[in-house]
């Protein structure tokens, strides 16, 4: 039965529980259902769609959230840190340069083990200034102790918003967590999103009961103490442990979510890899394009496959290696640069995962989509064919392939 | 609202002894006066600085109140988050409402310079918190560097004295007036020697429903180059020379808190601290005269602003 649902400023038609939402609106829809205690956000393109849609929920009195309209992204996360230390469930959202401005406090949030949730709408870093999608922002936070899940479409933007809430607050984890969705490609694309009833979400995310709170009158606690060299390393060791614990917690949460919704996700997702000789590894919205390219190639008799990494932090090295164990040619799609390095982030991590397990397919880094450069099926097919040529002729081999760039 | 020494003596301790602040340091004196004066539980947010590193060295803490330190510049925003959490949790019925003060302690570097934007944002948003700037006119924790609160002619490790420069070239910014320009309910200047003045102002600041800001002069004997026993005497000299007048801006009304019986010339201030020793030389008389004129002008301007209000 069709009914009217209001999300953001768009009036949309809903059939059953499928609602037409953009990725950003889907995140705001999830936030409205989670009803975080504190939300601190600063507007930046392409994230703005989230802050606008959520502000409407606040204005309409649909949430009990205390919304803090901060004066910068650094302040957004700083306010979340104060709120989370005070026992509140806190959310923020940002993009590219905003995430760069937060950098200092990203480590403060994880070092204090505060389960803050962030929605990152990926955007290229300046300069040159560019508002479109790539992963240079997300990759710059990879070493700072945040659990990172990469979504592919508006449905996953919604689903992951709920999933990261659970992961972050799990007692064995207690790490800030980020729902990474591609700027514009996902944030501004409207698709049918199956939303859960409010009460199902409420029971899935539960209520947050903090271990320590600044507002607990019985336990007066000091947060953010000076750690001399006798202790700093051990506290970092505990973060290593928390991040290790996060991997089975993410896997179990994805499974529970699958049982609840019928939408089954994994740390690493394989597509037509069972007999694949040539495989592309991918994160984010490019995954769908790669699957279409694989379908096309399969029709031509090419044994192509896709390994899509959803959970980037912690990095599921064993699962990635398992997925690639039969492949002879592997291209790792990176949507960011690590200037001066032998390859970009995902490539180096896949290489480490394989090399630790004595697996040595021919491995190429495939850089694509920087600054929102479109990556159509044709370009992905070209990557597959170049990979296959490199597999046949050793003299053609190059460590990094820059897809779709004008030389 | 009055504060008596007798009542003070009966108060439980607010900052545990055994911390690492220097002998003669103003900071613990300010903190204890502020927390005594509140008369209610506080949640404290600290900026990075001497106070934070000296009171929280793991595995010990001197804090008897719940305390959070996040970074150098964002103490005002951190407390914004705590206050917002309090409001949301009470509204949702997950926390019992009670009378708590949300307090920030931050140095002049964290307030005048690196944290100005974060403070300004928190003031504009109108959170209920009391911000105490413990102003020792420089970056003392990192080793005595000049800040926006340092006056001209001051020796610091980044404004040394040599043939080309006689200490800091620039004047300080008027941070208290900058905060007052945010039109928050309560703004004041106080100093560590003026315990009754400070504690009365803390009570006024903690009573308002919104932001309150008190800029407290706090001599640092290591950075100012004076004897640890002279901290309180030197603080008093700052008000007697009118270099650091005591006043408040209560709901927009400017009021002088203290008028020195006899104004002391600024030379006495310069003589009291090693950081100004170069200014005592004859060739720097012009510089000293210029600073005196500046202080005179600012004092006159303040009296003008406070005209019409009782003091």
């Amino acid at each position: 039965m069709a009914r009217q649902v209001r999300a953001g400023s768009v009036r949309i038609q809903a059939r059953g529980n499928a609602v037409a939402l953009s990725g950003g609106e889907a995140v705001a829809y999830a936030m409205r259902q989670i009803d975080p205690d504190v939300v601190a956000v600063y507007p930046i393109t392409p994230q703005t769609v989230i802050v606008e849609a959520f502000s409407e929920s606040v204005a309409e009195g649909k949430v009990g959230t205390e919304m803090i309209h901060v004066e910068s992204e650094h302040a957004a996360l700083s306010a979340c840190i104060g709120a989370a230390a005070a026992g509140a469930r806190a959310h923020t959202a940002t993009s590219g340069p905003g995430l760069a401005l937060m950098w200092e406090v990203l480590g403060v949030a994880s070092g204090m083990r505060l389960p803050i949730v962030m929605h990152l709408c990926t955007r290229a870093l300046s300069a040159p200034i560019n508002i479109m999608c790539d992963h240079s922002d997300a990759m710059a936070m990879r070493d700072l102790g945040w659990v990172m899940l990469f979504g592919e479409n508006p449905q996953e933007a919604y689903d992951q918003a709920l999933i990261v809430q659970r992961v972050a607050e799990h007692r064995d984890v207690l790490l800030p967590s980020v729902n990474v969705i591609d700027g514009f490609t996902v944030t501004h694309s409207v698709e049918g999103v199956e939303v859960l009833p409010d009460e199902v979400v409420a029971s899935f995310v539960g209520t947050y009961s903090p271990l320590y709170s600044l507002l607990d009158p019985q336990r007066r606690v000091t947060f953010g103490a000076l750690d001399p060299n006798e202790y700093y390393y051990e506290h970092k060791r505990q973060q290593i442990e928390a991040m290790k614990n996060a991997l089975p917690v993410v896997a179990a949460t994805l499974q529970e979510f699958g049982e609840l919704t019928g939408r089954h996700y994994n740390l690493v997702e394989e597509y037509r890899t069972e007999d694949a000789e040539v495989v592309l590894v991918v994160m984010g919205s490019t995954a769908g394009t790669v699957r279409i390219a694989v379908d096309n190639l399969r029709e031509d008799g090419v044994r192509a496959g896709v390994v899509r990494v959803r959970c980037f932090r912690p990095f599921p090295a064993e699962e990635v290696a398992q997925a690639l164990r039969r492949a002879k040619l592997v291209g790792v799609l990176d949507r960011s640069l690590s200037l001066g390095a032998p390859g970009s982030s995902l490539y180096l991590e896949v290489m480490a995962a394989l090399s630790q397990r004595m697996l040595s397919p021919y491995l190429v880094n495939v850089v694509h989509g920087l600054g929102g450069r479109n990556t159509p099926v044709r370009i992905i097919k070209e990557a597959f064919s170049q990979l296959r040529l490199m597999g046949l002729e050793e003299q053609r081999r190059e460590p990094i392939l820059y897809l779709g760039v004008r030389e | 609202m009055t504060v008596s020494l007798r009542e003070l003596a009966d108060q439980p301790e607010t900052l545990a002894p055994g911390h690492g602040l220097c002998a003669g340091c103003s900071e613990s004196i300010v903190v204890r006066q502020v927390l005594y004066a509140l008369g209610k539980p506080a949640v404290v947010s600290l900026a990075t600085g001497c106070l934070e590193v000296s009171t929280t060295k793991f595995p010990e803490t001197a804090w008897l109140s719940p305390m959070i330190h996040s970074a150098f510049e964002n103490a005002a925003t951190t407390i914004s988050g705590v206050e917002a959490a309090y409001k949301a949790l009470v509204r949702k019925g997950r926390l019992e409402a009670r009378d708590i003060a949300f307090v920030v302690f931050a140095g002049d570097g964290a307030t005048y310079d690196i944290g100005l934007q974060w403070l300004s944002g928190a003031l504009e948003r109108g959170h209920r918190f009391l911000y105490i700037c413990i102003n020792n006119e420089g970056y003392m924790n990192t080793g005595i560097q000049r800040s926006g609160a340092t006056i001209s002619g001051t020796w610091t490790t980044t404004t040394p004295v040599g043939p080309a420069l006689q200490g800091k070239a620039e004047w300080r910014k008027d941070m208290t007036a900058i905060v007052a320009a945010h039109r928050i309910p309560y703004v004041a200047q106080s100093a560590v020697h003026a315990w009754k003045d400070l504690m009365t102002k803390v009570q006024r600041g903690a009573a308002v429903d919104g932001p309150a800001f008190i800029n407290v002069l706090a001599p640092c004997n290591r950075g100012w180059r004076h004897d640890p026993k002279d901290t309180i005497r030197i603080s008093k000299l700052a008000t007697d020379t009118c270099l650091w007048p005591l006043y408040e801006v209560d709901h927009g009304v400017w009021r002088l808190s203290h008028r020195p019986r006899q104004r002391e010339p600024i030379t006495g201030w310069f003589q009291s601290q090693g950081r100004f020793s170069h200014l005592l030389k004859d060739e720097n008389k012009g510089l000293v005269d210029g600073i005196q004129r500046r202080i005179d002008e600012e004092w006159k301007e303040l009296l003008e602003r406070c005209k019409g209000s009782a003091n």
Side-chain angles (χ1 to χ4, degrees):
Chain A
M1 196 176 76
R3 63 190 165 95
Q4 288 275 310
V5 175
R6 197 168 160 74
S9 52
V10 199
R11 213 163 251 294
I12 34 101
Q13 287 286 326
R15 264 189 210 95
N17 61 352
V19 182
L21 293 172
S22 71
E25 288 166 344
V27 168
Y29 196 103
M31 287 171 71
R32 199 261 306 149
Q33 294 180 307
I34 293 168
D35 191 4
D37 304 313
V38 173
V39 171
V41 193
Y42 186 76
I44 184 168
T45 304
Q47 173 277 117
T48 338
V49 60
I50 297 177
V51 63
E52 287 174 352
F54 187 74
S55 294
E56 288 204 15
S57 294
V58 174
E60 288 165 6
K62 288 179 177 167
V63 286
T65 306
E66 192 64 26
M67 190 152 183
I68 313 181
H69 296 281
V70 282
E71 78 291 344
S72 77
E73 288 89 354
H74 188 292
L77 189 52
S78 297
C80 286
I81 287 168
R89 193 172 256 174
H91 279 222
T92 189
T94 193
S95 288
L99 185 74
L101 188 56
M102 280 184 187
W103 198 83
E104 180 196 24
V105 274
L106 288 170
V108 174
S110 58
M112 283 196 210
R113 306 291 300 277
L114 300 171
I116 296 162
V117 166
M118 182 199 294
H119 308 282
L120 175 64
C121 309
T122 58
R123 167 176 162 173
L125 293 179
S126 302
I129 188 168
N130 175 294
I131 59 167
M132 309 301 282
C133 170
D134 70 32
H135 294 164
S136 52
D137 51 358
M139 290 302 125
M141 75 183 292
R142 65 177 193 181
D143 297 334
L144 292 173
W146 287 61
V147 171
M148 301 174 74
L149 301 189
F150 278 72
E152 184 183 323
N153 50 40
Q155 181 68 62
E156 295 188 6
Y158 172 81
D159 293 344
Q160 288 193 165
L162 309 177
I163 288 159
V164 292
Q165 186 74 62
R166 280 281 300 277
V167 173
E169 291 171 2
H170 193 286
R171 281 289 162 92
D172 296 339
V173 179
L174 287 177
L175 287 173
S177 301
V178 57
N179 173 23
V180 186
I181 55 171
D182 284 351
F184 290 105
T185 321
V186 176
T187 57
H188 288 63
S189 295
V190 177
E191 288 185 2
V193 174
E194 290 198 11
V195 295
L196 296 168
D198 291 357
E199 60 278 9
V200 173
V201 170
S203 115
F204 180 75
V205 298
T207 7
Y208 174 49
S209 58
L211 273 177
Y212 302 99
S213 160
L214 290 167
L215 295 173
D216 182 352
Q218 309 307 325
R219 278 170 101 174
R220 293 169 296 178
V221 62
T222 290
F223 275 87
L226 172 74
D227 227 14
N229 56 3
E230 297 94 323
Y231 293 100
Y232 182 87
Y233 203 169
E234 282 69 26
H235 285 135
K236 288 292 145 188
R237 178 68 187 83
Q238 292 179 349
Q239 268 180 273
I240 296 171
E241 205 56 27
M243 197 48 103
K244 257 191 209 165
N245 293 346
L247 200 65
V249 170
V250 173
T253 312
L254 292 173
Q255 194 182 338
E256 186 186 329
F257 189 81
E259 285 158 11
L260 181 73
T261 61
R263 293 191 290 279
H264 297 280
Y265 301 129
N266 281 307
L267 301 169
V268 174
E269 288 158 17
E270 297 176 49
Y271 183 71
R272 304 188 86 164
T273 50
E274 55 292 335
D275 62 341
E277 278 180 357
V278 54
V279 173
L280 282 183
V281 183
V282 64
M283 286 200 300
S285 60
T286 311
T289 315
V290 181
R291 281 196 300 269
I292 293 170
V294 163
D295 285 345
N296 291 352
L297 290 168
R298 286 270 172 180
E299 283 169 23
D300 301 338
V302 180
R303 289 196 284 166
V306 192
V307 170
R308 181 250 168 128
V309 178
R310 175 185 303 280
C311 182
F312 180 67
R313 280 292 176 271
F315 192 71
E318 180 59 35
E319 289 76 2
V320 168
Q322 274 300 317
L324 295 173
R325 71 190 181 285
R326 288 185 297 262
K328 293 190 177 66
L329 301 166
V330 177
V332 182
L333 284 161
D334 262 296
R335 207 167 178 177
S336 67
L337 293 175
S338 184
L339 292 164
S344 295
S345 304
L346 184 60
Y347 170 70
L348 294 179
E349 306 214 358
V350 170
M351 181 182 273
L354 294 172
S355 133
Q356 284 161 358
R357 287 156 188 85
M358 312 297 274
L359 294 167
S360 50
Y362 179 62
L363 198 65
V364 180
N365 194 188
V366 186
V367 173
H368 79 293
L370 298 188
R373 176 62 53 87
N374 196 23
T375 309
V377 175
R378 173 182 54 81
I379 291 215
I380 295 293
K381 284 166 83 172
E382 192 186 306
F384 272 113
S385 65
Q386 290 220 35
L387 252 174
R388 293 173 65 216
L389 281 176
M390 286 188 203
L392 293 171
E393 298 175 48
E394 215 157 291
Q395 65 272 24
R396 282 178 181 266
R397 291 187 177 179
E398 286 172 56
I400 308 179
L401 200 61
Y402 298 98
L403 272 193
V405 69
R406 290 188 300 275
E407 297 291 351
Chain B
M1 278 180 287
T2 53
V3 181
S4 80
L5 272 178
R6 187 187 296 271
E7 283 170 25
L8 267 182
D10 291 336
Q11 292 251 16
E13 188 54 84
T14 54
L15 188 73
H19 56 69
L21 288 166
C22 303
C25 175
S26 305
E27 300 202 326
S28 57
I29 308 174
V30 172
V31 169
R32 293 168 75 218
Q33 287 177 3
V34 169
L35 296 179
Y36 281 145
L38 288 173
K40 56 180 166 188
V43 178
V44 174
S45 163
L46 291 188
T48 311
C50 283
L51 180 63
E52 175 261 327
V53 301
S54 305
T55 56
T56 69
K57 193 174 168 193
F58 191 87
E60 287 159 357
T61 179
W63 290 91
L64 300 169
S65 304
M67 191 287 281
I68 180 165
H69 157 254
S70 166
F72 197 173
E73 65 284 39
N74 62 1
T77 318
T78 309
I79 210 75
S80 302
V82 177
E83 188 245 16
Y86 172 82
K87 279 160 77 173
L89 294 176
V90 168
R91 186 162 58 225
K92 291 178 172 186
R94 305 223 314 269
L95 190 76
E96 220 171 286
R98 62 199 171 102
D99 197 12
I100 338 177
F102 300 101
V103 182
V104 174
F105 292 106
D108 51 287
T111 307
Y112 284 59
D113 296 344
I114 195 170
L116 180 59
Q117 174 189 314
W118 287 255
L119 171 60
S120 177
L123 297 174
E124 183 261 339
R125 294 190 300 269
H127 300 278
R128 183 168 65 79
F129 71 110
L130 173 64
Y131 190 104
I132 306 289
C133 173
I134 304 183
N135 177 3
N136 56 23
E137 300 186 334
Y139 293 91
M140 301 318 186
N141 189 43
T142 41
I144 322 165
Q145 291 87 30
R146 60 88 90 186
S147 80
T150 314
I151 63 163
S152 41
T154 307
W155 165 89
T156 70
T157 57
T158 48
T159 55
V161 176
L165 274 179
Q166 296 297 305
K168 190 187 172 192
E170 305 80 16
W171 192 239
R172 65 186 172 194
K173 55 173 109 160
D174 190 350
M175 190 64 211
T176 313
I178 291 169
V179 173
H182 287 73
R183 300 289 194 268
I184 61 168
Y186 190 78
V187 181
Q189 267 194 191
S190 189
V192 67
H193 73 279
W195 63 272
K196 203 160 188 167
D197 176 83
L198 174 59
M199 294 177 76
T200 308
K201 286 172 176 168
V202 166
Q203 290 181 342
R204 286 180 189 156
V208 300
D209 186 18
F213 173 92
I214 308 178
N215 197 346
V216 185
L217 190 79
C220 165
N221 61 74
R222 295 292 304 125
W224 292 16
R225 301 296 195 230
H226 66 75
D227 204 305
K229 73 174 167 43
D230 290 333
T231 300
I232 299 301
R233 184 180 71 80
I234 283 172
S235 174
K236 182 169 184 303
L237 199 52
T239 57
D240 288 346
T241 54
C242 294
L243 175 73
W244 192 258
L246 307 183
Y247 66 92
E248 62 189 357
V249 188
D250 192 351
H251 294 86
V253 180
W254 289 66
R255 201 180 296 125
L256 199 65
S257 315
H258 170 75
R259 188 190 287 267
R261 267 189 214 109
Q262 195 187 341
R263 277 194 61 194
E264 300 287 337
I266 196 63
T267 44
W269 174 255
F270 293 149
Q271 283 158 2
S272 70
Q273 299 152 58
R275 61 176 173 156
F276 298 120
S277 59
H278 57 287
L279 296 182
L280 307 177
K281 291 179 189 158
D282 284 347
E283 64 259 34
N284 280 329
K285 193 176 177 308
L287 181 54
V288 170
D289 289 346
I291 294 171
Q292 182 68 63
R293 275 197 302 277
R294 185 111 199 198
I295 293 168
D296 292 346
E297 280 164 23
E298 289 187 359
W299 175 244
K300 212 176 122 195
E301 199 181 306
L302 179 65
L303 290 179
E304 200 58 38
R305 277 174 156 161
C306 295
K307 225 181 210 171
S309 64
N311 59 68

